[in-house]
């Protein structure tokens, strides 16, 4: 009798762990959908409150995810990370786009949707890694991968959007946008490096230093916060998200729990806005194909990136695809130029996360030889997987408070 009750309790624990990270975002989106029945968002392709808000949410999400990157376990993994967030993202996007083309022909705009989904949600990964049965080296690789593929996909979405969407100007416009965006990002990165070099420790002590330096040091925290705010505003104003993400690797004033709270607030607001736009309906067929193709694309790329890892680590990497804040905000950004973006990406996110939770739960059960209980490391705990929606502070990825790593 005790064995039967123990197994039943284990199954109930797994069911709760699988449902909780889905029910909370669905509830927020549902509230937004109800609000969308009476309120209408002014979605415009150029400027407007909606455009600034969506760009601001993206900036917060990208800074939070990139700040969470810690040093890789080995130097060889740096190469793996670079391959994953560059070539790997391109391969994933090409695989997803090919799947969409095979099912829905003559829709070139779906290439942009494929790129928007070709990244892993860093908030979900951050929560998952706390209880995933993986080596520390594999966790480090996946955390960096999930954090830094976001700005890469964001830049690709902007470039490809100029090429294939109806109000774009074709390949020439896309190439021009790429060159302009690259230069702007490099300038922003250089300015951020200069400012942080000055603000990290303050100016060197001179002849009058002993009298002036203590006063300056008291102002340093406030100057760092002001500089970070200026960095975020500039990135939103000129949409320099790649430069912002690169700057987050070193531009790290001590924020404590506030960065995590800001990232979670951005996720809640973005999910609510997504729900408001879903009041017009969802395209379940295309969304399902997009979601399945995205999950399979991660399996393909991770099998290659994970060469040299143990079989256990490779299996976990292959099943690690999750989508969240970045995919949601990219859907919001694309909506003015591609009105079906939210209707397709929203159900695709749901499909990906259901596949992830189901497959990882099954993998844990196979590894343990039965239904995992609530205290077993292979099973996702409700308190941990809840972090896929409301995570721990995004800056907890290993950097010291002063940002020196």
């Amino acid at each position: 009798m005790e064995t039967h009750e123990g197994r039943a309790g284990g199954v109930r624990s797994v069911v709760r762990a699988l449902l909780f990270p889905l029910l909370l975002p669905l509830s927020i989106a549902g509230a937004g959908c109800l609000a969308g029945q009476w309120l209408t968002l002014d979605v415009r392709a150029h400027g407007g409150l909606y455009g600034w808000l969506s760009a601001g949410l993206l900036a917060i999400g990208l800074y939070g995810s990139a700040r969470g990157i810690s040093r890789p376990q080995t130097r060889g993994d740096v190469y793996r990370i670079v391959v994953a967030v560059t070539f790997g993202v391109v391969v994933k996007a090409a695989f997803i786009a090919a799947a969409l083309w095979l099912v829905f022909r003559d829709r070139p705009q779906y290439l942009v949707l494929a790129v928007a989904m070709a990244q892993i949600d860093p908030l979900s990964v951050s929560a998952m890694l706390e209880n995933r049965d993986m080596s520390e080296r594999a966790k480090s690789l996946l955390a960096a991968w999930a954090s830094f593929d976001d700005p890469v996909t964001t830049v690709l979405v902007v470039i490809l959007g100029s090429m294939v969407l109806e109000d774009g100007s074709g390949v020439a416009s896309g190439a021009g946008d790429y060159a302009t965006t690259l230069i702007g990002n490099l300038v922003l990165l250089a300015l951020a490096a200069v400012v942080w070099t000055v603000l990290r420790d303050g100016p060197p002590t001179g002849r009058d230093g002993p009298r002036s330096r203590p006063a300056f040091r008291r102002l340093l925290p406030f100057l760092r916060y002001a500089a970070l705010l200026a960095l975020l505003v500039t990135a939103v104003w000129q949409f320099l998200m790649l430069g912002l993400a690169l700057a987050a690797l070193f531009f790290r004033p001590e924020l404590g729990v506030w960065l995590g709270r800001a990232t979670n607030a951005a996720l809640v607001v973005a999910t609510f806005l997504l729900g408001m736009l879903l009041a017009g309906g969802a395209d379940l067929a295309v969304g399902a194909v997009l979601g399945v193709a995205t999950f399979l694309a991660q399996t393909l790329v991770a099998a290659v990136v994970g060469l040299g890892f143990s079989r256990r680590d490779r299996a976990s990497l292959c099943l690690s695809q999750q989508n969240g804040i970045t995919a949601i905000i990219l859907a919001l950004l694309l909506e003015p130029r591609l009105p079906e973006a939210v209707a397709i990406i929203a159900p695709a996110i749901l499909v990906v996360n259901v596949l992830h939770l189901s497959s990882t739960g099954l993998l844990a059960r196979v590894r343990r030889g039965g239904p995992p209980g609530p205290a077993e490391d292979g099973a996702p705990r409700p308190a941990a997987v809840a972090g896929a929606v409301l995570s721990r502070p995004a800056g907890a990825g290993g950097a010291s408070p002063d940002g020196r790593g």
Side-chain angles (χ1 to χ4, degrees):
M1 183 66 179
E2 293 180 358
T3 302
H4 176 73
E5 290 179 352
R7 290 182 177 178
V11 171
R12 286 194 297 269
S13 175
V14 173
V15 170
R16 288 195 300 269
L18 294 179
L19 290 181
F20 189 82
L22 296 178
L23 290 178
L24 185 55
L26 284 175
S27 300
I28 298 172
C33 191
L34 289 176
Q37 303 295 329
W38 293 278
L39 301 175
T40 302
L41 282 176
D42 183 13
V43 180
R44 291 182 291 178
H46 301 286
L49 178 61
Y50 175 85
W52 291 113
L53 179 59
S54 55
L57 293 174
L58 182 60
I60 294 173
L62 289 180
Y63 180 83
S65 62
R67 181 185 166 116
I69 296 177
S70 58
R71 290 189 179 96
Q73 293 290 314
T74 66
R75 288 188 176 183
D77 288 342
V78 175
Y79 172 76
R80 294 176 185 270
I81 294 169
V82 172
V83 171
V85 301
T86 53
F87 180 74
V89 168
V90 174
V91 171
K92 286 176 69 174
F95 181 92
I96 300 167
L100 292 174
W101 181 82
L102 289 174
V103 181
F104 309 99
R105 297 177 183 271
D106 301 325
R107 304 301 298 271
Q109 62 269 38
Y110 286 171
L111 175 61
V112 183
L113 301 180
V115 176
M117 290 290 291
Q119 35 74 30
I120 311 172
D121 178 39
L123 300 185
S124 303
V125 167
S126 176
M128 176 189 72
L129 291 181
E130 294 182 4
N131 296 278
R132 179 57 57 85
D133 189 12
M134 299 169 63
S135 68
E136 291 302 317
R137 181 187 173 200
K139 289 181 179 181
S140 175
L141 171 64
L142 182 57
W145 185 353
S147 294
F148 220 73
D149 63 357
D150 289 23
V152 174
T153 53
T154 299
V155 171
L156 289 178
V157 163
V158 173
I159 303 305
L160 289 175
S162 300
M163 296 180 182
V164 303
L165 295 182
E166 291 182 359
D167 62 344
S169 303
V171 176
S173 175
D177 286 348
Y178 174 78
T180 303
T181 301
L182 181 60
I183 294 173
N185 280 303
L186 292 176
V187 170
L188 180 67
L189 180 62
L191 290 176
V194 171
V195 172
W196 184 249
T197 299
V198 174
L199 296 182
R200 181 177 56 188
D201 298 314
T205 303
R207 182 174 300 177
D208 299 328
R211 292 194 298 271
S212 62
R213 191 175 177 85
F216 184 82
R217 278 193 172 279
R218 286 194 293 269
L219 292 175
L220 272 180
F222 302 100
L223 294 175
R224 291 168 183 162
Y225 299 147
L228 175 59
L229 180 61
L231 177 66
L232 291 170
V233 170
T234 304
V236 172
W237 175 39
Q238 297 294 324
F239 205 79
L240 302 175
M241 299 302 168
L242 181 58
L244 173 65
L246 290 172
L249 296 176
F250 59 85
F251 205 108
R252 297 181 174 185
E254 185 177 356
L255 298 174
V257 300
W258 292 106
L259 179 60
R261 291 176 179 175
T263 306
N264 293 331
L267 175 57
V268 171
V269 172
T271 305
F272 186 83
L273 293 177
L274 185 82
M276 290 187 67
L277 294 175
L278 279 175
D283 195 331
L284 299 179
V286 182
V289 175
L290 177 59
V292 173
T294 300
F295 193 80
L296 293 178
Q298 171 63 20
T299 303
L300 173 66
V301 173
V304 177
V305 173
L307 289 175
F309 284 83
S310 67
R311 182 179 300 178
R312 179 184 294 267
D313 284 343
R314 291 184 69 189
S316 297
L317 289 172
C318 288
L319 301 179
S320 61
Q321 179 66 41
Q322 298 176 83
N323 288 103
I325 183 171
T326 305
I328 291 173
I329 299 176
L330 287 179
L332 298 178
L333 285 171
L334 286 171
E335 185 70 12
R337 301 177 63 186
L338 183 60
E340 52 191 331
V342 167
I344 295 174
I345 289 180
I349 293 173
L350 179 62
V351 169
V352 167
N353 292 339
V354 167
L355 289 174
H356 166 78
L357 292 169
S358 302
S359 60
T360 51
L362 179 61
L363 179 64
R365 179 170 181 173
V366 170
R367 287 175 174 175
R368 303 294 179 180
E376 292 181 336
D377 289 339
R381 296 178 177 86
V385 292
V389 181
L390 299 176
S391 72
R392 61 186 175 85
S400 60
D402 64 358
R404 290 178 234 181

